[in-house]
Amino acid sequence: MSLLLLVGLFFSLSLPAQENIPRIIAHRGYWQTEGSAQNSIRALKLADEIRVYGSEFDVHLTADDVAVIFHDDTIRGIAIQSTLYKEIKDFRLPNGERLPTLEAYLEKGKTLEHTKLVFELKPHQTPERNREAARQVMETVNRMGLADRTEYITFDMDAGLEIIRVAPDAEVAYLRGNVPPARLKESGYTGLDYHHSVMLENPEWFTEAKELGMTVNVWTVNDPELITQMASLEADFITTDIPAEALKTVANPAKEN
Ligand code: MG
């Protein structure tokens, strides 16, 4: 073995592995910037521009089955899921955009070249309504030719299982944080997407998930030091409200003292 090879081997063993750079997901798009707003179409476009891996967004079905993009269950005090679309369609986001429908949001997504669509289906009122919501939104995603660019996440077990049943090849991760990786794998989930505190309480889940061939995503990590820590624990994805800063942090981790 040549000296050069030996030196190379020494450094490759003594330095932290560099291949595990987590991919960044912009939580509700890239919204903490001029002219943007959470879950706006503009935030999706800006996430694509800064070249994050993915842009996350939240989806509810209205009472008459129109899928809209919004985080909270209520908009100006009106419960989205029990209201007709016409009652809320003219509401504006803080950046002036009209409340986006899933169709309008995906139309923009189709024109973007980089970002994955990290689709959070919000819980609905009953198990059957959750399954119905899953089928409806997937039909829209598939009809628009975006199945390959879409990854699903959900807090609702029934919705996730329905997505898996309809599309066994889809990437589907569970958000609630209360199920160990092996049980999720048995149910057909491809990943866990848990709060960072849950992963710190159960650090063995990082390695268990990896051994099972599952991905680990952590939310919502808004502190650069915590981002660095999640990277060192080998999270595959980091979901964050500071995507531009997070991209720099993972590419150039600060030395831990
Ligand atoms: Mg969300």
Side-chain angles (χ1 to χ4, degrees):
M1 192 181 282
S2 76
L3 182 62
L4 199 61
L5 261 176
L6 273 173
V7 170
L9 187 63
F10 173 78
F11 277 105
S12 67
L13 291 174
S14 58
L15 291 173
Q18 286 297 304
E19 68 270 18
N20 183 66
I21 295 179
R23 288 176 283 190
I24 300 301
I25 295 171
H27 183 233
R28 307 178 195 169
Y30 181 24
W31 57 272
Q32 291 196 98
T33 186
E34 181 90 30
S36 193
Q38 294 186 14
N39 278 315
S40 64
I41 290 174
R42 176 87 181 139
L44 171 65
K45 181 169 182 288
L46 290 169
D48 189 77
E49 280 177 12
I50 62 170
R51 302 284 205 274
V52 282
Y53 170 82
S55 189
E56 189 259 2
F57 56 101
D58 303 293
V59 180
H60 299 264
L61 276 192
T62 61
D64 51 342
D65 293 343
V66 178
V68 295
I69 314 296
F70 200 69
H71 177 266
D72 295 353
D73 293 342
T74 59
I75 183 165
R76 307 224 190 118
I78 296 174
I80 294 171
Q81 296 177 12
S82 52
T83 298
L84 297 175
Y85 174 62
K86 68 177 184 188
E87 306 293 334
I88 55 173
K89 72 180 177 56
D90 294 326
F91 285 165
R92 303 267 169 184
L93 304 182
N95 69 341
E97 268 180 46
R98 198 179 291 265
L99 173 71
T101 61
L102 178 62
E103 291 254 1
Y105 197 87
L106 295 180
E107 279 295 344
K108 173 54 79 176
K110 267 181 92 159
T111 69
L112 304 175
E113 289 179 23
H114 307 288
T115 186
K116 293 264 191 188
L117 301 164
V118 180
F119 189 127
E120 180 179 350
L121 180 57
K122 301 305 278 188
H124 289 67
Q125 284 100 341
T126 64
E128 183 42 49
R129 188 60 176 157
N130 281 308
R131 288 189 284 268
E132 175 64 27
R135 289 191 293 273
Q136 288 201 26
V137 298
M138 290 175 80
E139 192 278 323
T140 304
V141 168
N142 295 343
R143 173 166 45 80
M144 296 180 79
L146 286 166
D148 291 345
R149 294 216 4 238
T150 302
E151 300 178 4
Y152 293 95
I153 59 176
T154 186
F155 279 92
D156 187 80
M157 184 56 79
D158 296 307
L161 293 176
E162 187 68 357
I163 294 168
I164 293 161
R165 189 186 69 77
V166 174
D169 294 333
E171 301 286 326
V172 188
Y174 188 57
L175 288 163
R176 198 168 294 281
N178 58 344
V179 183
R183 272 185 46 216
L184 285 181
K185 175 83 176 180
E186 283 166 20
S187 303
Y189 281 87
T190 58
L192 39 153
D193 186 351
Y194 287 173
H195 191 263
H196 54 79
S197 65
V198 170
M199 294 308 293
L200 289 176
E201 283 162 24
N202 302 277
E204 71 282 5
W205 287 358
F206 282 101
T207 38
E208 282 178 32
K210 192 175 294 245
E211 282 164 13
L212 291 162
M214 303 180 82
T215 55
V216 176
N217 188 344
V218 282
W219 55 271
T220 303
V221 191
N222 294 336
D223 168 23
E225 271 184 38
L226 196 52
I227 288 171
T228 301
Q229 186 180 12
M230 290 295 135
S232 68
L233 287 165
E234 305 199 355
D236 299 287
F237 305 102
I238 291 175
T239 300
T240 179
D241 289 318
I242 52 164
E245 192 174 353
L247 284 171
K248 288 184 202 147
T249 303
V250 295
N252 224 336
K255 298 265 184 304
E256 290 183 67
N257 295 313

